[in-house]
Amino acid sequence: MSQVAIFVEGKTDKKFIGLLLNEMGLDKDKVKFFILGGKSNFFKPESNQYKELLVDIEQEIVEKVLFVLDADKVEDNKKYGGYDNTEKELIEAISALGIQNSDIYIMCDPTDKTGYLESLILSSISVEQKQCIDNFLSCSEFKDKESHKAILYKIYKIAYPQAPYDFSHKNFEPLKGKFKQLFQ
């Protein structure tokens, strides 16, 4: 059975993608997930995960590859932070690996092209709801990235437990388009 490979940073990304694939009616059993454990690992062509992928491609186990990672912010990392830097560095890594049938999706707030999965999720709620969360983060003075991301995710899950993600929102369409292409 030919599979597709999806590279993600962590377990939260994998879980989110699994929910979206289910929502779209796509077969998760055809996905081989690679959890890289951090953004910088995407840019290391010598990694064991990439070696495994290349063997899978050579043996025709994996047919297509999608790389899904956060944009982050330029001020957090001058080399890998921000949408443009992330895209540039990942294209170079993919080229170095010689992978032909692949695509990239960079998770962020589509308005300012910064942030992470949590930013994409929050971009799908109303302005009023987002403002409440932004106000809390502002007055709480959480500054480090990991605390910020964790708090965004927890607040969202607590505030909207019945329908945690509005996958019908237009901001999820580009990612859904990538999945449709991946499964063709």
Side-chain angles (χ1 to χ4, degrees):
M1 166 174 96
S2 184
Q3 290 185 308
V4 297
I6 299 177
F7 281 77
V8 295
E9 290 183 52
K11 292 177 185 176
T12 302
D13 302 325
K14 178 183 175 187
K15 182 178 177 183
F16 171 80
I17 288 170
L19 290 172
L20 182 52
L21 292 174
N22 282 342
E23 177 76 17
M24 295 176 66
L26 298 173
D27 186 1
K28 279 193 322 190
D29 293 336
K30 287 190 167 198
V31 177
K32 181 170 185 174
F33 280 99
F34 289 86
I35 299 174
L36 294 183
K39 183 175 182 175
S40 62
N41 293 331
F42 277 81
F43 313 114
K44 297 177 181 174
E46 71 282 357
S47 76
N48 288 334
Q49 289 95 339
Y50 285 147
K51 289 176 184 173
E52 182 179 338
L53 172 67
L54 293 174
V55 169
D56 287 350
I57 290 171
E58 185 178 304
Q59 294 178 352
E60 298 180 359
I61 296 168
V62 169
E63 184 179 330
K64 296 179 182 179
V65 184
L66 179 63
F67 299 88
V68 181
L69 68 165
D70 295 338
D72 295 319
K73 297 178 181 180
V74 174
E75 55 269 19
D76 293 339
N77 186 321
K78 298 289 183 212
K79 183 171 183 177
Y80 301 132
Y83 190 95
D84 293 335
N85 290 343
T86 300
E87 182 178 51
K88 176 186 167 284
E89 294 294 328
L90 188 55
I91 288 171
E92 286 179 17
I94 293 168
S95 177
L97 289 164
I99 298 171
Q100 300 300 314
N101 206 357
S102 67
D103 203 353
I104 299 169
Y105 182 79
I106 301 172
M107 294 189 288
C108 59
D109 181 323
T111 306
D112 63 10
K113 298 256 188 215
T114 63
Y116 6 83
L117 167 62
E118 294 79 4
S119 306
L120 173 63
I121 292 167
L122 287 176
S123 75
S124 69
I125 63 176
S126 74
V127 173
E128 295 81 17
Q129 292 167 327
K130 188 169 185 327
Q131 191 172 20
C132 288
I133 293 171
D134 287 341
N135 287 342
F136 170 77
L137 288 172
S138 177
C139 72
S140 66
E141 298 182 6
F142 289 106
K143 299 297 179 211
D144 70 275
K145 176 185 157 189
E146 291 311 311
S147 292
H148 184 81
K149 285 176 65 170
I151 290 166
L152 284 175
Y153 185 71
K154 287 288 186 193
I155 289 173
Y156 189 89
K157 285 188 78 152
I158 291 167
Y160 312 107
Q162 303 315 89
Y165 309 116
D166 178 7
F167 289 129
S168 66
H169 193 278
K170 66 180 174 75
N171 290 354
F172 292 116
E173 290 306 313
L175 181 56
K176 288 162 65 174
K178 299 282 184 182
F179 291 141
K180 287 175 187 171
Q181 289 179 329
L182 190 64
F183 280 83
Q184 284 181 341

